[in-house]
Amino acid sequence: MSSRRPLAVTAASAVAILGAGTVGARTLIVRQAAIARRRIGKPLGEQALDADRVWRRKKHPGSPVELLLLGDSIAAGLGATHRRDTLGARLAKGVARSAGRPVRLRTAAVVGSETSALAAQVASLPAGYRPDAAVIVVGGNDVTHRIPASRAAEQLEQVVRDLRGRGVPVVVGTCPDLGTLRAIPQPLRALAARSSRQLAAAQAAAVHRSGGRVVALARAVGPVFAERPDEMFSEDRFHPSALGYRRTAEALLPAVLAALEPAQGDRRPAKTPRSPADA
């Protein structure tokens, strides 16, 4: 899984996104894919920072909330320069503030993963481990590796249904808008945007069918990423920066807190939700 170039736009995937067309159009897209590949490169490597720990133990008493992160490089936090800025850590701190309890973060997400890798990520968890909530962010690699949206959505539905069958609340952040990536030239960027929207719609339908909660990341944070790319993206202009992860966590946090409410019902009243950015 991790051997794949994370979110890389290859010539083959570019042609697949474009579909059948003229030789001239295919040549243009191949050239643009090569340009994007050179611009993005791999300055971040393929290993995200390890943010797994119990967050806010000193500030909040009680047993920790168990929070699980599944998915690709965004879920893993690639691009954050400190572990406190990863998506998982931002969510953990936000949950801790609202629940008044520490949060134990476990990240099974792997850089470069497609949706097909989710089942293996779940299988890799320790026997008997049952999180209080699971957050999944996946889809970008399915677009760039030309995985049919219907297949990726079906794989996601199976994993969400399995987790729900175990009594685990699930929140899915659907495929981000790849049209916000200015490192990708036009018209390839527009084609990638269309494909990511199609996948996000298929994901949302699949998650609703399987009993999970959906956060449409393209709608929730796509506009700010498009308007402020220098701030929202990290060094490679592809993965979120610390600020980008902050905004993404802010978008996901209300759904995560709502998913946790049944488990918190017999515990101390929740505090008013505050931004995970204030951690």
Side-chain angles (χ1 to χ4, degrees), residues 106-127:
R106 181 182 294 274
T107 305
V110 178
V111 173
S113 290
E114 298 168 5
T115 306
S116 59
L118 291 177
Q121 292 178 14
V122 173
S124 72
L125 299 171

Side-chain angles (χ1 to χ4, degrees), residues 22-222:
T22 65
V23 173
R26 290 198 299 269
T27 300
L28 172 62
I29 295 301
V30 169
R31 288 176 178 173
Q32 290 188 338
I35 292 171
R37 187 168 57 248
R38 288 196 300 270
R39 288 176 178 175
I40 296 167
K42 297 173 67 175
L44 304 175
E46 296 186 2
Q47 294 295 324
L49 296 174
D50 182 3
D52 287 4
R53 51 170 286 188
V54 177
W55 292 90
R56 296 294 184 260
R57 184 190 293 276
K58 294 181 179 179
K59 291 187 177 182
H60 303 295
S63 59
V65 174
E66 299 287 344
L67 180 63
L68 173 65
L69 266 289
L70 301 167
D72 56 22
S73 53
I74 293 178
L78 187 67
T81 55
H82 193 283
R83 64 181 183 177
R84 65 172 176 264
D85 295 322
T86 61
L87 180 61
R90 288 283 184 185
L91 288 172
K93 291 180 289 184
V95 169
R97 280 206 177 92
S98 294
R101 294 170 57 194
V103 176
R104 180 181 287 111
L105 174 65
R106 181 182 294 274
T107 305
V110 178
V111 173
S113 290
E114 298 168 5
T115 306
S116 59
L118 291 177
Q121 292 178 14
V122 173
S124 72
L125 299 171
Y129 171 71
R130 182 184 176 280
D132 293 304
V135 177
I136 302 174
V137 180
V138 74
N141 291 314
D142 294 273
V143 172
T144 60
H145 294 140
R146 64 194 185 280
I147 306 301
S150 59
R151 184 194 306 169
E154 180 180 355
Q155 293 165 341
L156 177 61
E157 181 174 355
Q158 291 172 348
V159 169
V160 175
R161 194 177 299 279
D162 174 54
L163 289 169
R164 294 296 296 123
R166 303 182 192 186
V168 178
V170 180
V171 176
V172 175
T174 55
C175 184
D177 181 5
L178 300 191
T180 62
L181 301 171
R182 295 191 180 181
I184 303 176
Q186 296 286 16
L188 177 58
R189 192 194 317 163
L191 296 168
R194 183 179 65 184
S195 294
S196 58
R197 288 194 298 269
Q198 291 172 342
L199 177 55
Q203 288 176 320
V207 174
H208 284 307
R209 285 194 301 268
S210 52
R213 296 173 184 267
V214 173
V215 177
L217 292 180
R219 183 169 64 249
V221 298

Side-chain angles (χ1 to χ4, degrees), residues 223-262:
V224 71
F225 273 74
E227 293 166 6
R228 300 162 58 186
D230 292 341
E231 299 175 64
M232 294 297 125
F233 288 103
S234 61
E235 179 184 356
D236 66 355
R237 294 183 290 176
F238 210 99
H239 295 88
S241 63
L243 182 57
Y245 279 120
R246 167 184 165 178
R247 295 301 293 266
T248 303
E250 289 172 347
L252 289 165
L253 183 59
V256 175
L257 293 175
L260 286 167
E261 281 179 0

